[in-house]
Amino acid sequence: MCTILAHLILPCRTMCAERGRGVPVAGGVGMGNNGRVTRPASTRAARLDQICAAAVDVARAGITEVDPSDIGDHLQAVAEGERLVTHYFECKLAGYRGWRWAVTVTRVPRSRNVTICETVLLPGTDALLAPGWLPWQERLKPGDLGPGDLLPTPPDDERLVPGYVLSDDPAVEETAWELGLGRARVLSRQGRAEAAQRWYDGDHGPSAPISTSAPASARCGTCGFYLPLAGSLRQAFGACGNFYAPDDGRVVSADHGCGAHSETLIEAAETSVDEMPTVYDDSAVETIAVSRAPGSVEAAEPSEPYGHP
């Protein structure tokens, strides 16, 4: 009898242990794995209720916010669920091109009376929509900040690091190492990289129209008016100090260029003007006698100056 009980108890303990670990066993399913007993949700599309789909006039009458002339043709009827259908109508309102009126109707089981659930105006695929909302930090563009405007910097700005943090830029460490005396925050490596890339790709880099139009040898790095920046940016950027250059006072890349390069020397060509000989037109000259005729001067008259009789 004891032997028979032992044979019966051992399989039961084994079965319970296997079920506790979620392993399927003979005659049942593991407790930790219910994949075989859970019925998957049905993905079958809802069946279009014919009574609700035929209630086009009821759906049209439910649009009471506008005049009937603002409601266009019936576009389609879409099944939203069991005995739940949405009717779409063309919108004729000015300024709402591509929008559609959506009226959802339903009915109770075994009833032919259709009622309206909701009426909304929805955009279609080609509707004219307003641009998506963006936070003000993402809407700002260069030049938007005007006189008197304040632009707060978030405390977790990735472009800045505390001034006491060891930097890989000697110029930054030279001016910001003092605790309490230097700047509270300085540019991080990411901030310097973003600024350098932005400058290089902008209007003061090598691909700017004024740079590509300048001679190949007229690069800012070899110009006498070029003032290199300090720190790690010195190798690639500087400020223009030429009063007549279009980039005067702006940061330019070393391979930027313009026509106001300090070594742009143009020799002035010597020009001479040949003097034309004086030409007299004798045909337009009128002959006038300058001497007096005999007897025009009395003998008793005194002599004229310079001894002329």
Side-chain angles (χ1 to χ4, degrees), residues 99-306:
W99 288 67
R100 303 179 300 175
W101 294 104
V103 182
T104 303
V105 297
T106 186
R107 66 183 182 89
V108 297
R110 296 186 298 276
S111 174
R112 304 185 66 87
N113 185 21
V114 177
T115 59
I116 297 175
C117 296
E118 62 177 358
T119 302
V120 294
L121 183 61
L122 299 177
T125 55
D126 57 343
L128 182 62
L129 300 176
W133 182 85
L134 291 175
W136 66 268
Q137 298 93 334
E138 301 180 17
R139 294 197 303 267
L140 284 177
K141 301 295 181 183
D144 289 349
L145 193 66
D149 294 338
L150 298 178
L151 180 60
T153 303
D156 57 347
D157 196 325
E158 297 180 352
R159 301 170 300 172
L160 299 172
V161 293
Y164 57 80
V165 175
L166 184 63
S167 172
D168 60 350
D169 193 343
V172 175
E173 297 174 1
E174 183 179 348
T175 59
W177 67 270
E178 310 96 336
L179 291 178
L181 299 179
R183 292 173 290 173
R185 290 189 293 176
V186 295
L187 272 177
S188 63
R189 176 180 296 186
Q190 177 181 346
R192 293 195 303 273
E194 291 178 358
Q197 191 65 44
R198 184 172 61 253
W199 294 346
Y200 197 80
D201 297 337
D203 295 335
H204 310 295
S207 59
I210 191 173
S211 180
T212 56
S213 302
S217 59
R219 300 297 99 183
C220 293
T222 59
C223 181
F225 300 104
Y226 181 73
L227 304 172
L229 296 183
S232 59
L233 296 178
R234 179 186 180 91
Q235 301 177 2
F237 297 99
C240 177
N242 189 349
F243 174 76
Y244 298 101
D247 297 318
D248 179 41
R250 296 179 173 88
V251 175
V252 294
S253 64
D255 50 357
H256 182 69
C258 71
H261 195 276
S262 62
E263 307 308 317
T264 302
L265 304 177
I266 300 178
E267 297 182 359
E270 296 182 359
T271 58
S272 60
V273 179
D274 297 335
E275 296 184 2
M276 301 297 295
T278 304
V279 178
Y280 297 96
D281 189 0
D282 296 340
S283 62
V285 177
E286 181 181 357
T287 304
I288 300 176
V290 295
S291 61
R292 296 181 179 181
S296 61
V297 179
E298 296 295 336
E301 291 182 3
S303 300
E304 296 179 357
Y306 303 106

Side-chain angles (χ1 to χ4, degrees), residues 15-16 18-19 22-37:
M15 184 181 298
C16 293
E18 295 294 339
R19 287 180 177 176
V23 179
V25 296
V29 180
M31 297 175 62
N33 185 357
N34 59 355
R36 295 185 181 182
V37 298

Side-chain angles (χ1 to χ4, degrees), residues 72-92:
D73 299 334
H74 181 261
L75 300 177
Q76 62 179 140
V78 178
E80 304 289 352
E82 186 177 1
R83 295 183 300 277
L84 190 66
V85 176
T86 298
H87 293 270
Y88 291 94
F89 299 89
E90 183 183 4
C91 179
K92 295 291 188 179

Side-chain angles (χ1 to χ4, degrees), residues 4-72:
I4 297 176
L5 292 177
H7 284 287
L8 292 176
I9 295 173
L10 182 59
C12 292
R13 291 178 177 176
T14 304
M15 184 181 298
C16 293
E18 295 294 339
R19 287 180 177 176
R21 292 198 299 267
V23 179
V25 296
V29 180
M31 297 175 62
N33 185 357
N34 59 355
R36 295 185 181 182
V37 298
T38 302
R39 179 177 299 176
S42 176
T43 58
R44 184 176 58 183
R47 184 176 61 87
L48 183 65
D49 186 83
Q50 297 301 323
I51 298 177
C52 292
V56 177
D57 296 336
V58 176
R60 183 185 295 271
I63 307 175
T64 59
E65 295 86 355
V66 295
D67 296 332
S69 60
D70 295 328
I71 308 172

